[in-house]
Coordinates of all heavy atoms in Angstrom, one line a residue:
M1 N 10.9 -11.5 -36.4 CA 11.4 -10.6 -35.3 C 11.2 -9.2 -35.8 O 11.4 -8.9 -37.0 CB 12.7 -10.9 -35.0 CG 13.3 -10.1 -33.8 SD 14.4 -11.2 -32.8 CE 14.5 -10.2 -31.4
S2 N 10.8 -8.2 -34.9 CA 10.8 -6.8 -35.5 C 12.1 -6.1 -35.6 O 13.0 -6.6 -35.1 CB 9.9 -6.1 -34.3 OG 10.7 -5.6 -33.4
S3 N 12.0 -5.0 -36.5 CA 13.1 -4.3 -36.8 C 13.5 -3.3 -35.7 O 14.6 -2.8 -35.7 CB 13.0 -3.7 -38.0 OG 11.9 -2.6 -38.0
R4 N 12.7 -3.2 -34.7 CA 13.0 -2.3 -33.5 C 13.9 -2.9 -32.6 O 13.8 -4.1 -32.5 CB 11.6 -1.9 -32.7 CG 10.7 -1.1 -33.6 CD 9.5 -0.8 -32.8 NE 9.0 -1.7 -31.7 CZ 8.0 -1.6 -30.9 NH1 7.5 -0.5 -30.9 NH2 7.7 -2.5 -30.1
P5 N 14.8 -2.0 -32.0 CA 15.8 -2.7 -31.2 C 15.0 -3.1 -29.8 O 14.0 -2.6 -29.5 CB 16.7 -1.5 -30.8 CG 16.1 -0.3 -31.2 CD 15.0 -0.7 -32.3
I6 N 15.5 -4.2 -29.3 CA 15.0 -4.7 -28.0 C 15.5 -3.8 -26.9 O 16.7 -3.6 -26.8 CB 15.4 -6.2 -27.8 CG1 14.9 -7.0 -28.9 CG2 14.9 -6.6 -26.4 CD1 15.3 -8.5 -28.9
R7 N 14.6 -3.3 -26.1 CA 14.9 -2.5 -24.9 C 14.8 -3.4 -23.7 O 13.7 -3.9 -23.5 CB 14.1 -1.2 -24.8 CG 14.5 -0.2 -25.9 CD 13.9 1.1 -25.5 NE 13.4 1.3 -24.1 CZ 14.2 2.3 -23.3 NH1 14.9 3.2 -24.1 NH2 13.8 2.5 -22.2
M8 N 15.7 -3.2 -22.8 CA 15.7 -4.0 -21.5 C 15.6 -3.0 -20.4 O 16.1 -1.9 -20.4 CB 17.1 -4.8 -21.4 CG 17.3 -5.8 -22.5 SD 16.1 -7.0 -22.7 CE 16.3 -8.0 -21.3
L9 N 14.7 -3.4 -19.4 CA 14.5 -2.6 -18.3 C 15.1 -3.2 -17.1 O 15.0 -4.4 -16.8 CB 12.9 -2.3 -18.1 CG 12.2 -1.8 -19.1 CD1 10.6 -1.8 -18.7 CD2 12.5 -0.5 -19.6
R10 N 15.8 -2.4 -16.3 CA 16.4 -2.9 -15.1 C 15.3 -2.7 -14.1 O 14.2 -2.1 -14.2 CB 17.5 -2.0 -14.6 CG 18.8 -2.1 -15.6 CD 19.3 -3.6 -15.9 NE 19.9 -4.1 -14.7 CZ 21.0 -4.1 -14.3 NH1 21.9 -3.5 -15.1 NH2 21.4 -4.6 -13.1
L11 N 15.4 -3.3 -12.8 CA 14.4 -3.4 -11.7 C 13.9 -2.0 -11.5 O 12.6 -2.0 -11.4 CB 15.0 -4.2 -10.6 CG 14.0 -4.3 -9.4 CD1 12.8 -5.1 -9.9 CD2 14.6 -5.0 -8.3
P12 N 14.8 -0.9 -11.2 CA 14.1 0.3 -10.8 C 13.2 0.8 -11.9 O 12.1 1.5 -11.6 CB 15.3 1.2 -10.7 CG 16.5 0.4 -10.3 CD 16.2 -0.9 -11.0
Q13 N 13.6 0.6 -13.2 CA 12.7 1.0 -14.2 C 11.3 0.2 -14.3 O 10.3 0.8 -14.6 CB 13.4 0.8 -15.5 CG 14.6 1.7 -15.8 CD 15.4 1.4 -17.0 OE1 15.9 0.2 -17.0 NE2 15.4 2.4 -17.9
V14 N 11.4 -1.0 -14.0 CA 10.2 -1.9 -13.9 C 9.3 -1.5 -12.7 O 8.1 -1.4 -12.9 CB 10.6 -3.5 -13.8 CG1 9.3 -4.2 -13.6 CG2 11.3 -3.8 -15.0
I15 N 9.9 -1.2 -11.6 CA 9.1 -0.6 -10.5 C 8.5 0.6 -10.8 O 7.3 0.8 -10.5 CB 10.1 -0.4 -9.2 CG1 10.5 -1.8 -8.8 CG2 9.5 0.4 -8.2 CD1 11.6 -1.7 -7.7
D16 N 9.2 1.5 -11.5 CA 8.7 2.8 -11.9 C 7.5 2.6 -12.9 O 6.5 3.3 -12.8 CB 9.8 3.7 -12.6 CG 9.2 5.1 -12.8 OD1 8.7 5.8 -11.8 OD2 9.5 5.6 -13.9
A17 N 7.6 1.7 -13.9 CA 6.6 1.6 -15.0 C 5.4 0.9 -14.4 O 4.2 1.2 -14.8 CB 7.0 0.8 -16.1
T18 N 5.4 0.0 -13.4 CA 4.3 -0.7 -12.9 C 3.7 -0.1 -11.8 O 2.5 -0.5 -11.3 CB 4.8 -2.2 -12.7 OG1 5.7 -2.3 -11.7 CG2 5.2 -2.8 -14.0
G19 N 4.5 0.4 -10.9 CA 4.0 0.9 -9.6 C 4.1 -0.2 -8.5 O 3.7 0.0 -7.4
L20 N 4.7 -1.4 -8.9 CA 4.8 -2.4 -8.1 C 6.1 -2.4 -7.4 O 7.2 -1.9 -7.8 CB 4.8 -3.8 -8.8 CG 3.4 -4.0 -9.5 CD1 3.6 -5.3 -10.4 CD2 2.3 -4.2 -8.6
G21 N 6.3 -3.1 -6.2 CA 7.5 -3.1 -5.4 C 8.2 -4.3 -5.9 O 7.7 -5.2 -6.5
K22 N 9.5 -4.4 -5.5 CA 10.4 -5.5 -5.9 C 9.9 -6.9 -5.5 O 9.8 -7.8 -6.3 CB 11.7 -5.2 -5.3 CG 12.9 -6.4 -5.4 CD 14.1 -6.0 -4.6 CE 15.0 -7.2 -4.7 NZ 16.2 -7.0 -4.0
T23 N 9.4 -6.9 -4.2 CA 8.9 -8.2 -3.8 C 7.7 -8.8 -4.6 O 7.6 -9.8 -4.9 CB 8.5 -8.1 -2.3 OG1 9.7 -7.7 -1.5 CG2 8.0 -9.4 -1.7
K24 N 6.8 -7.8 -4.8 CA 5.5 -8.2 -5.6 C 5.9 -8.6 -7.0 O 5.3 -9.5 -7.5 CB 4.6 -7.0 -5.7 CG 3.2 -7.4 -6.1 CD 2.6 -8.4 -5.2 CE 1.3 -8.7 -5.5 NZ 0.7 -9.8 -4.6
I25 N 6.8 -8.0 -7.6 CA 7.3 -8.3 -9.0 C 7.8 -9.7 -8.9 O 7.4 -10.5 -9.8 CB 8.4 -7.3 -9.4 CG1 7.7 -5.9 -9.7 CG2 9.1 -7.8 -10.8 CD1 8.7 -4.8 -10.1
Y26 N 8.7 -10.0 -8.1 CA 9.3 -11.4 -8.0 C 8.2 -12.4 -7.7 O 8.3 -13.6 -8.1 CB 10.4 -11.3 -7.1 CG 11.7 -10.8 -7.6 CD1 12.1 -9.7 -7.4 CD2 12.4 -11.7 -8.6 CE1 13.3 -9.1 -8.0 CE2 13.7 -11.1 -9.2 CZ 13.9 -9.9 -9.0 OH 15.1 -9.2 -9.5
E27 N 7.2 -12.0 -6.8 CA 6.1 -12.9 -6.5 C 5.3 -13.3 -7.6 O 5.0 -14.5 -7.7 CB 5.3 -12.2 -5.3 CG 4.1 -13.1 -4.8 CD 3.3 -12.3 -3.9 OE1 3.9 -11.6 -2.9 OE2 2.1 -12.2 -3.9
L28 N 4.8 -12.2 -8.4 CA 4.1 -12.4 -9.6 C 4.9 -13.3 -10.6 O 4.2 -14.1 -11.2 CB 3.6 -11.1 -10.2 CG 2.6 -10.3 -9.3 CD1 2.4 -8.9 -9.9 CD2 1.3 -11.0 -9.3
Q29 N 6.0 -13.0 -10.8 CA 6.9 -13.8 -11.6 C 7.0 -15.3 -11.3 O 6.8 -16.2 -12.2 CB 8.3 -13.2 -11.5 CG 9.0 -13.0 -12.8 CD 10.4 -12.4 -12.6 OE1 10.8 -11.7 -13.5 NE2 11.1 -12.8 -11.6
G30 N 7.1 -15.5 -10.0 CA 7.0 -16.9 -9.6 C 5.8 -17.7 -9.8 O 5.7 -18.9 -10.0
Q31 N 4.6 -16.9 -9.7 CA 3.4 -17.3 -10.0 C 3.0 -17.5 -11.5 O 2.1 -18.0 -12.0 CB 2.3 -16.5 -9.3 CG 2.3 -16.5 -8.0 CD 1.4 -15.4 -7.3 OE1 0.8 -14.6 -8.1 NE2 1.4 -15.3 -6.0
G32 N 3.9 -17.0 -12.3 CA 3.7 -16.9 -13.8 C 2.8 -15.9 -14.3 O 2.3 -15.9 -15.3
D33 N 2.7 -14.9 -13.5 CA 1.7 -13.8 -13.6 C 2.3 -12.5 -14.1 O 1.8 -11.4 -14.1 CB 0.7 -13.5 -12.5 CG -0.2 -14.7 -12.1 OD1 -0.5 -15.3 -13.2 OD2 -0.5 -14.9 -11.0
F34 N 3.7 -12.5 -14.3 CA 4.4 -11.3 -14.7 C 5.6 -11.8 -15.6 O 6.1 -12.8 -15.4 CB 5.1 -10.6 -13.6 CG 5.6 -9.3 -13.8 CD1 4.8 -8.2 -13.9 CD2 7.0 -9.0 -14.0 CE1 5.3 -6.9 -14.1 CE2 7.5 -7.8 -14.2 CZ 6.6 -6.8 -14.4
P35 N 6.0 -10.9 -16.6 CA 7.0 -11.4 -17.5 C 8.2 -11.8 -16.8 O 8.7 -11.2 -15.7 CB 7.4 -10.1 -18.3 CG 6.1 -9.3 -18.3 CD 5.5 -9.5 -16.9
M36 N 8.9 -12.9 -17.2 CA 10.2 -13.4 -16.7 C 11.3 -12.5 -17.0 O 11.5 -12.0 -18.0 CB 10.3 -14.7 -17.1 CG 11.2 -15.7 -16.3 SD 10.7 -15.8 -14.6 CE 12.0 -16.5 -13.8
R37 N 12.2 -12.3 -15.9 CA 13.5 -11.6 -16.1 C 14.3 -12.3 -16.9 O 14.2 -13.6 -17.2 CB 14.0 -11.2 -14.7 CG 14.5 -12.5 -14.0 CD 14.8 -12.1 -12.6 NE 15.2 -13.4 -11.8 CZ 14.3 -14.2 -11.2 NH1 13.1 -14.0 -11.3 NH2 14.7 -15.1 -10.5
V38 N 15.3 -11.7 -17.6 CA 16.3 -12.2 -18.4 C 17.7 -12.0 -17.8 O 17.9 -11.0 -17.4 CB 16.4 -11.6 -19.8 CG1 17.4 -12.2 -20.8 CG2 15.1 -11.8 -20.5
K39 N 18.5 -13.1 -17.6 CA 19.8 -13.0 -17.1 C 20.7 -12.4 -18.2 O 20.9 -13.0 -19.2 CB 20.2 -14.3 -16.6 CG 21.4 -14.4 -15.7 CD 21.7 -15.6 -15.0 CE 22.8 -15.5 -13.9 NZ 22.9 -16.6 -13.3
I40 N 21.3 -11.2 -17.7 CA 22.2 -10.5 -18.8 C 23.5 -11.0 -18.3 O 24.3 -11.2 -19.3 CB 21.9 -9.0 -18.6 CG1 20.6 -8.7 -19.0 CG2 22.9 -8.3 -19.6 CD1 20.2 -7.3 -19.0
T41 N 24.0 -11.0 -17.2 CA 25.3 -11.3 -16.8 C 25.2 -12.2 -15.6 O 24.0 -12.5 -15.2 CB 26.3 -10.2 -16.5 OG1 25.7 -9.6 -15.3 CG2 26.3 -9.2 -17.7
A42 N 26.2 -12.7 -15.0 CA 26.2 -13.5 -13.8 C 25.5 -12.8 -12.6 O 25.0 -13.5 -11.8 CB 27.5 -14.0 -13.4
H43 N 25.5 -11.5 -12.7 CA 25.1 -10.7 -11.5 C 24.0 -9.6 -11.9 O 23.7 -8.7 -11.1 CB 26.2 -10.0 -10.8 CG 27.2 -11.0 -10.2 ND1 26.9 -11.9 -9.2 CD2 28.5 -11.4 -10.6 CE1 27.9 -12.6 -8.9 NE2 28.8 -12.3 -9.9
S44 N 23.4 -9.7 -13.0 CA 22.4 -8.6 -13.5 C 21.3 -9.3 -14.3 O 21.5 -10.3 -15.1 CB 23.1 -7.5 -14.1 OG 23.5 -8.0 -15.5
V45 N 20.1 -8.8 -14.1 CA 18.9 -9.2 -14.9 C 18.3 -7.9 -15.3 O 18.4 -7.0 -14.8 CB 17.9 -10.1 -13.9 CG1 18.6 -11.4 -13.5 CG2 17.5 -9.3 -12.8
A46 N 17.3 -8.2 -16.2 CA 16.5 -7.1 -16.9 C 15.3 -7.8 -17.4 O 15.2 -8.9 -17.6 CB 17.3 -6.4 -17.9
W47 N 14.3 -7.0 -17.7 CA 13.0 -7.3 -18.3 C 12.9 -6.7 -19.7 O 13.3 -5.7 -19.9 CB 11.9 -6.9 -17.5 CG 11.7 -7.6 -16.2 CD1 10.7 -8.7 -16.0 CD2 12.5 -7.6 -15.0 NE1 10.9 -9.2 -14.6 CE2 12.0 -8.6 -14.0 CE3 13.5 -6.8 -14.5 CZ2 12.5 -8.6 -12.8 CZ3 14.0 -6.9 -13.3 CH2 13.5 -7.8 -12.3
V48 N 12.3 -7.4 -20.6 CA 12.1 -7.0 -21.9 C 10.9 -6.0 -21.9 O 9.8 -6.3 -21.4 CB 11.6 -8.2 -22.9 CG1 11.4 -7.6 -24.3 CG2 12.8 -9.3 -23.0
E49 N 11.2 -4.7 -22.2 CA 10.3 -3.6 -22.1 C 8.9 -4.0 -22.8 O 7.9 -3.7 -22.3 CB 10.8 -2.4 -22.7 CG 9.9 -1.1 -22.6 CD 10.5 0.1 -23.2 OE1 11.1 -0.1 -24.3 OE2 10.2 1.1 -22.7
E50 N 9.1 -4.6 -24.0 CA 7.8 -4.8 -24.7 C 6.9 -5.9 -24.0 O 5.7 -5.7 -23.9 CB 8.1 -5.5 -26.0 CG 7.0 -5.5 -27.0 CD 7.5 -5.9 -28.5 OE1 8.3 -5.3 -29.0 OE2 6.9 -6.9 -29.0
E51 N 7.5 -6.8 -23.3 CA 6.8 -7.8 -22.3 C 6.1 -7.1 -21.2 O 5.0 -7.4 -20.9 CB 7.6 -8.8 -21.9 CG 8.2 -9.8 -23.1 CD 9.1 -10.8 -22.7 OE1 9.4 -10.9 -21.4 OE2 9.7 -11.6 -23.6
V52 N 6.8 -6.2 -20.6 CA 6.3 -5.4 -19.4 C 5.2 -4.5 -19.9 O 4.1 -4.5 -19.2 CB 7.3 -4.6 -18.8 CG1 6.8 -3.7 -17.6 CG2 8.4 -5.5 -18.1
Q53 N 5.3 -3.8 -21.0 CA 4.1 -3.0 -21.6 C 2.9 -3.8 -22.0 O 1.8 -3.3 -21.7 CB 4.8 -2.1 -22.7 CG 5.8 -1.2 -22.4 CD 5.3 -0.1 -21.4 OE1 4.2 0.3 -21.6 NE2 6.2 0.4 -20.7
A54 N 3.2 -4.9 -22.6 CA 2.0 -5.8 -22.9 C 1.4 -6.3 -21.6 O 0.1 -6.3 -21.6 CB 2.6 -7.1 -23.7
W55 N 2.1 -6.6 -20.6 CA 1.5 -6.9 -19.3 C 0.8 -5.9 -18.8 O -0.5 -6.1 -18.3 CB 2.6 -7.4 -18.2 CG 2.0 -7.8 -17.0 CD1 1.7 -9.1 -16.7 CD2 1.8 -7.1 -15.9 NE1 1.2 -9.1 -15.3 CE2 1.3 -7.8 -14.8 CE3 2.2 -5.6 -15.5 CZ2 1.0 -7.4 -13.5 CZ3 1.8 -5.2 -14.2 CH2 1.3 -6.1 -13.3
L56 N 1.1 -4.8 -18.7 CA 0.4 -3.5 -18.2 C -0.8 -3.4 -19.0 O -2.0 -3.0 -18.5 CB 1.2 -2.3 -18.3 CG 2.5 -2.2 -17.3 CD1 3.5 -1.0 -17.6 CD2 1.7 -2.0 -15.9
A57 N -0.8 -3.4 -20.4 CA -1.9 -3.2 -21.2 C -3.0 -4.3 -20.9 O -4.2 -3.9 -20.9 CB -1.5 -3.2 -22.7
A58 N -2.4 -5.4 -20.7 CA -3.5 -6.5 -20.4 C -4.2 -6.3 -19.1 O -5.4 -6.4 -18.9 CB -2.8 -7.9 -20.4
R59 N -3.4 -5.8 -18.0 CA -4.1 -5.5 -16.7 C -5.1 -4.4 -17.0 O -6.2 -4.5 -16.3 CB -3.0 -5.0 -15.9 CG -2.0 -6.1 -15.3 CD -2.9 -6.9 -14.4 NE -2.6 -6.8 -13.0 CZ -2.5 -7.8 -12.1 NH1 -2.5 -9.0 -12.5 NH2 -2.3 -7.5 -10.9
I60 N -4.8 -3.3 -17.7 CA -5.7 -2.2 -18.0 C -6.9 -2.7 -18.6 O -8.0 -2.4 -18.2 CB -5.0 -1.1 -18.7 CG1 -3.9 -0.5 -18.0 CG2 -6.0 -0.1 -19.3 CD1 -2.9 0.4 -18.8
Q61 N -6.8 -3.6 -19.7 CA -7.9 -4.2 -20.3 C -8.8 -5.0 -19.6 O -10.1 -4.9 -19.5 CB -7.4 -4.8 -21.6 CG -8.5 -5.5 -22.5 CD -9.4 -4.2 -23.1 OE1 -8.8 -3.3 -23.5 NE2 -10.6 -4.4 -23.2
R62 N -8.2 -5.8 -18.7 CA -8.9 -6.7 -17.8 C -9.6 -5.9 -16.8 O -10.8 -6.2 -16.5 CB -8.0 -7.8 -17.2 CG -8.7 -8.8 -16.3 CD -7.8 -10.0 -15.8 NE -6.3 -9.5 -16.1 CZ -5.4 -10.1 -15.3 NH1 -5.7 -10.9 -14.3 NH2 -4.2 -9.8 -15.6
T63 N -9.1 -4.9 -16.2 CA -9.6 -4.0 -15.2 C -10.9 -3.3 -15.8 O -12.0 -3.4 -15.2 CB -8.6 -3.1 -14.6 OG1 -7.6 -3.8 -14.0 CG2 -9.4 -2.2 -13.6
R64 N -10.7 -2.8 -16.9 CA -11.8 -2.0 -17.6 C -12.9 -2.9 -17.9 O -14.0 -2.4 -17.9 CB -11.3 -1.2 -18.7 CG -10.3 -0.1 -18.3 CD -10.2 1.1 -19.1 NE -9.4 2.0 -18.5 CZ -8.4 2.9 -19.1 NH1 -8.1 2.5 -20.4 NH2 -7.9 3.7 -18.4
S65 N -12.6 -4.2 -18.5 CA -13.8 -5.0 -18.8 C -14.5 -5.7 -17.8 O -15.6 -5.9 -17.8 CB -13.1 -6.1 -19.7 OG -12.3 -7.0 -19.0
D66 N -13.8 -5.6 -16.5 CA -14.3 -6.1 -15.2 C -15.3 -5.1 -14.5 O -16.2 -5.4 -13.8 CB -13.4 -6.6 -14.3 CG -12.7 -7.9 -14.6 OD1 -13.2 -8.5 -15.5 OD2 -11.6 -8.1 -14.1
L67 N -15.2 -3.9 -15.0 CA -16.0 -2.7 -14.3 C -17.3 -2.7 -14.9 O -17.6 -2.6 -16.1 CB -15.3 -1.4 -14.6 CG -13.9 -1.1 -13.9 CD1 -13.4 0.2 -14.3 CD2 -14.0 -1.3 -12.4
S68 N -18.3 -2.5 -14.0 CA -19.6 -2.4 -14.4 C -19.9 -1.1 -14.6 O -19.1 -0.1 -14.2 CB -20.6 -3.0 -13.2 OG -20.5 -2.1 -12.0
P69 N -21.0 -0.5 -15.3 CA -21.3 0.9 -15.5 C -21.4 1.7 -14.2 O -20.9 2.7 -14.0 CB -22.6 0.9 -16.2 CG -22.7 -0.3 -16.9 CD -21.9 -1.3 -16.0
E70 N -21.8 1.0 -13.2 CA -21.9 1.7 -11.8 C -20.6 2.0 -11.2 O -20.3 3.1 -10.6 CB -22.9 0.9 -10.8 CG -24.3 0.7 -11.3 CD -24.3 -0.7 -12.1 OE1 -23.6 -1.5 -12.0 OE2 -25.1 -0.5 -13.0
T71 N -19.7 1.0 -11.4 CA -18.4 1.1 -10.8 C -17.6 2.1 -11.5 O -17.0 3.0 -10.9 CB -17.6 -0.2 -10.8 OG1 -18.5 -1.3 -10.2 CG2 -16.4 -0.2 -10.2
T72 N -17.8 2.3 -12.8 CA -17.1 3.2 -13.8 C -17.4 4.5 -13.2 O -16.6 5.6 -13.2 CB -17.4 3.1 -15.2 OG1 -17.2 1.7 -15.6 CG2 -16.6 3.9 -16.0
A73 N -18.7 4.8 -13.0 CA -19.2 6.1 -12.5 C -18.5 6.6 -11.3 O -18.1 7.6 -11.0 CB -20.7 6.2 -12.3
I74 N -18.3 5.6 -10.3 CA -17.7 5.9 -9.1 C -16.2 6.2 -9.2 O -15.7 7.0 -8.7 CB -17.8 4.7 -8.1 CG1 -19.3 4.6 -7.8 CG2 -17.0 4.9 -6.8 CD1 -19.7 3.3 -7.1
V75 N -15.5 5.3 -10.1 CA -14.1 5.6 -10.4 C -13.8 6.8 -10.9 O -12.8 7.5 -10.6 CB -13.7 4.3 -11.2 CG1 -12.1 4.6 -11.7 CG2 -13.7 3.1 -10.5
T76 N -14.7 7.2 -11.8 CA -14.4 8.5 -12.6 C -14.7 9.9 -11.9 O -14.5 10.9 -12.4 CB -15.1 8.5 -14.0 OG1 -16.5 8.4 -13.9 CG2 -14.7 7.3 -14.8
Q77 N -15.3 9.8 -10.8 CA -15.6 11.0 -10.0 C -14.4 11.5 -9.5 O -13.5 10.8 -9.0 CB -16.5 10.6 -8.8 CG -18.1 10.2 -9.3 CD -18.9 9.9 -8.1 OE1 -18.4 9.9 -6.9 NE2 -20.1 9.7 -8.3
P78 N -14.2 12.9 -9.4 CA -13.1 13.5 -8.9 C -12.9 13.2 -7.4 O -14.0 13.1 -6.7 CB -13.2 15.0 -9.2 CG -14.6 15.2 -9.4 CD -15.2 13.8 -10.0
A79 N -11.7 13.1 -7.0 CA -11.4 12.8 -5.6 C -11.7 14.1 -4.7 O -11.5 15.1 -5.1 CB -10.0 12.4 -5.3
R80 N -12.3 13.9 -3.5 CA -12.6 14.9 -2.7 C -11.4 15.2 -1.8 O -10.6 14.3 -1.4 CB -13.7 14.6 -1.7 CG -15.1 14.4 -2.4 CD -16.2 14.3 -1.3 NE -17.4 14.0 -2.2 CZ -18.3 13.2 -1.7 NH1 -18.3 12.4 -0.6 NH2 -19.5 13.0 -2.4
R81 N -11.2 16.5 -1.6 CA -10.1 17.0 -0.8 C -10.5 16.9 0.7 O -11.5 17.2 1.1 CB -9.7 18.4 -1.2 CG -9.3 18.6 -2.5 CD -8.8 19.8 -2.8 NE -7.6 20.3 -1.8 CZ -6.8 21.2 -1.9 NH1 -6.9 22.0 -3.0 NH2 -5.8 21.4 -1.1
R82 N -9.5 16.3 1.3 CA -9.7 16.2 2.8 C -9.4 17.5 3.5 O -8.6 18.1 3.2 CB -8.8 15.1 3.4 CG -9.2 13.7 3.0 CD -8.3 12.6 3.4 NE -8.4 12.6 4.8 CZ -7.6 11.7 5.4 NH1 -6.8 10.9 4.9 NH2 -7.6 11.7 6.8
R83 N -10.3 17.9 4.6 CA -10.0 19.0 5.4 C -8.8 18.8 6.3 O -8.7 17.8 6.9 CB -11.2 19.6 6.0 CG -12.3 19.9 4.9 CD -13.4 20.5 5.9 NE -14.6 20.7 4.8 CZ -15.5 21.6 5.1 NH1 -15.6 22.1 6.3 NH2 -16.4 21.7 4.2
R84 N -8.0 19.8 6.5 CA -6.9 19.7 7.5 C -7.6 20.0 8.8 O -8.4 20.8 9.0 CB -5.9 20.8 7.2 CG -5.1 20.5 5.9 CD -4.1 21.7 5.9 NE -2.8 21.0 5.8 CZ -1.7 21.7 5.8 NH1 -1.6 22.9 5.8 NH2 -0.6 21.1 5.7
K85 N -6.9 19.3 9.8 CA -7.4 19.5 11.2 C -6.8 20.8 11.6 O -5.7 21.1 11.2 CB -6.9 18.3 12.0 CG -7.7 17.1 11.6 CD -7.3 15.9 12.6 CE -8.0 14.7 12.2 NZ -7.7 13.5 13.1
P86 N -7.4 21.6 12.5 CA -6.9 22.8 13.0 C -5.6 22.6 13.7 O -5.4 21.5 14.5 CB -8.0 23.2 14.0 CG -9.3 22.6 13.7 CD -8.9 21.3 13.0
G87 N -4.7 23.4 13.6 CA -3.5 23.1 14.3 C -2.3 22.5 13.5 O -1.2 22.1 14.0
R88 N -2.7 22.0 12.3 CA -1.7 21.3 11.7 C -1.2 21.9 10.3 O -1.8 22.8 9.7 CB -2.2 19.9 11.1 CG -2.4 19.0 12.3 CD -2.6 17.6 11.8 NE -2.7 16.7 13.0 CZ -2.8 15.5 12.9 NH1 -2.7 14.8 11.8 NH2 -2.8 14.7 14.0

């Protein structure tokens, strides 16, 4: 076991870190595709930060390895600004 303290994330922190919503987090968890929550007390749960970070790193790695050179060029282009409609 590492000497670093174990940090636990509550649901709002997991949502903030992943950009996922509550329903999606629980859905992915049920499918075995997201780290499982840990029951802390009878009425509270949290996620191990290191597990959530590892999940994010794996998602990033998988996405980048799936991208072809053509797709990468498209993704890295700066977004175009949309013009406002007159009167708005």
Side-chain angles (χ1 to χ4, degrees):
M1 187 144 194
S2 85
S3 60
R4 294 187 319 179
I6 298 172
R7 283 189 34 113
M8 303 300 287
L9 302 175
R10 299 301 298 268
L11 183 59
Q13 294 170 302
V14 175
I15 290 169
D16 186 51
T18 63
L20 299 173
K22 175 183 175 179
T23 302
K24 192 60 167 180
I25 290 168
Y26 281 99
E27 179 184 312
L28 290 171
Q29 225 178 213
Q31 297 169 355
D33 294 331
F34 192 80
M36 199 59 190
R37 64 193 177 275
V38 176
K39 192 170 187 173
I40 297 178
T41 68
H43 301 288
S44 69
V45 297
W47 287 258
V48 178
E49 180 183 39
E50 192 171 304
E51 293 175 1
V52 173
Q53 293 297 324
W55 180 86
L56 285 167
R59 283 295 256 226
I60 293 166
Q61 183 63 38
R62 185 173 8 156
T63 301
R64 292 198 174 143
S65 67
D66 289 346
L67 292 177
S68 66
E70 300 84 34
T71 309
T72 305
I74 293 167
V75 171
T76 58
Q77 290 178 356
R80 293 187 180 142
R81 293 185 63 161
R82 293 177 62 180
R83 293 185 184 196
R84 293 180 120 186
K85 292 183 180 179
R88 287 194 179 189

